[in-house]
Amino acid sequence: MKAIGGMRDRSELLLREKNLYKAFAIMAMPIFLANILRSLHDLVDTHFIGQMVNSTAAQAGISIAWPFINILLCFSAGLSVGGVAIISRSLGMGDTEKAKRYSALLLTFSACIGVVINLIMYLAAPLVLRLMNADADLEVFAAALTYVRVRAFEMVFLFVFAAFQTTRQACGDTVSPVLLSVVSIVVNVVLTWLFVTQLNMGVFGAALATLIGNAVIVPYCVYMMFSKRNQIAVEKRHFTIDFEEVKSLVKIGIPSASSQALTSLGFLVLQAVILDYGKVVAAAFSLGNKVSNLLLMPIFSLGSVLAAFVGQNIGAQNKERAMAAYKTSRNLGLIVSIVGCAILFPIRENILALLTNDADTLVTAMDYILWVLLTQPLMAMFQNYIGLFNGSGNTKLSFIMGTVRLWVIRLPLILCFKLFTDLGSTGVWYAMVISNLLIMVVGMLLKRKVNYEKKI
């Protein structure tokens, strides 16, 4: 993992490279490729599950499980956002010692919270799934419960990896986390094939493969955080509790964590609504999202790199470069989403056909994916706003944007379409399109509130 030794080059890209498109391309490409691989991995997993006898129930169960899992993962996301903002700003200001202290604090918090989340996720799964009305179909309920409870045991590993990824991202190292992610994905795919298709372990096998894939890379992550080759290598003396530093990390992280928790809770409600239309619609919703992730994951990579650009340049008091970084990321995001849609649109049915052996699920998924692809450029804009807000430490703006999109616009629209029209599941797709469009207006208004000079 030689990427850690090249931090000076990364700092040059973040702070001084004149061609921002070149800098973004170099920084984002490793994450871009890793996210594409992760999306393809999800499709491969879904393909294996799609060949099962009760594939529709299994896919619906996994789809229902994800919002619950994401609600608990929001704590990791909140810590990561706070960590990127503070560590990148500290490095931009030349305060390496402060960056090391926050890295140690982040690692400690992540490991401890991961253990707590593991217990909550395992014990609360039956109650939460029943509240979602998943037990209306016993096959779907059984699949969802199995998936959640097995995945619960990977929370510590996911949280620790997120801490490692955050410190590397703040330094501008986008390569090391990607190499480890590739290892995780390869292990996951091979084991999913083995467990699901060869050993007939079903949903349990798919979840176990993911658990093992995420666990095998964590020992090396911890080693790298202590490695002397690391620009912000942590040492024993850094593991002290400074309540002012804890307060800073929590203050920035809470709005982001709250936003993602509310978003995941909203998707949990959305999944419950979708399940009312039957497991075919729930499975189709899951399949459509798997395909759309082929475009969303590269867009997420740009947002991640943007946060590091903005954070370090604000720390270096380079307001103009921070503002220019947002425009560069926005333009690249729009190009990627438009080109990606043009590639995927003609072959969308071929891809979906690989993921299910149920004709009704395929027809419904085709209806959903049409609207998803049409709104991808809007999602590119959305993620760039989030990257700008998080990188500048304005996580409250991310909270507002995420909450308004789902709770103020999307869910009320879905309820109205369900109660007052005969659109059926198509009303859900319409509500998603309208909410993605209207939130752009909110994003433009919130962007005016960003302070590029405010110190954390």
Side-chain angles (χ1 to χ4, degrees), residues 374-385:
L374 289 176
T375 60
Q376 287 303 296
L378 299 178
M379 287 304 300
M381 292 288 293
F382 179 85
Q383 290 302 324
N384 274 281
Y385 282 130

Side-chain angles (χ1 to χ4, degrees), residues 166-283:
T166 297
T167 59
R168 305 318 320 144
Q169 179 184 328
C171 293
D173 174 21
T174 56
V175 176
S176 300
V178 167
L179 293 177
L180 289 172
S181 293
V182 170
V183 172
S184 174
I185 290 167
V186 171
V187 171
N188 195 339
V189 169
V190 172
L191 291 181
T192 300
W193 167 80
L194 176 64
F195 293 162
V196 175
T197 65
Q198 303 302 306
L199 301 180
N200 298 317
M201 294 171 66
V203 171
F204 175 81
L208 182 62
T210 304
L211 164 61
I212 296 172
N214 286 322
V216 294
I217 61 174
V218 167
Y220 197 68
C221 291
V222 175
Y223 164 76
M224 290 173 71
M225 290 193 73
F226 285 86
S227 173
K228 297 299 182 183
R229 294 180 296 142
N230 185 349
Q231 180 190 11
I232 53 174
V234 295
E235 302 173 26
K236 185 178 179 180
R237 62 188 173 87
H238 294 126
F239 288 89
T240 57
I241 301 298
D242 183 318
F243 287 102
E244 286 301 316
E245 292 182 346
V246 172
K247 182 179 177 182
S248 296
L249 184 62
V250 171
K251 183 178 181 181
I252 297 177
I254 279 181
S256 177
S258 301
S259 174
Q260 296 199 44
L262 280 174
T263 298
S264 296
L265 179 60
F267 275 103
L268 188 147
V269 173
L270 176 59
Q271 287 283 5
V273 172
I274 288 174
L275 193 58
D276 282 344
Y277 294 108
K279 61 185 178 184
V280 168
V281 175

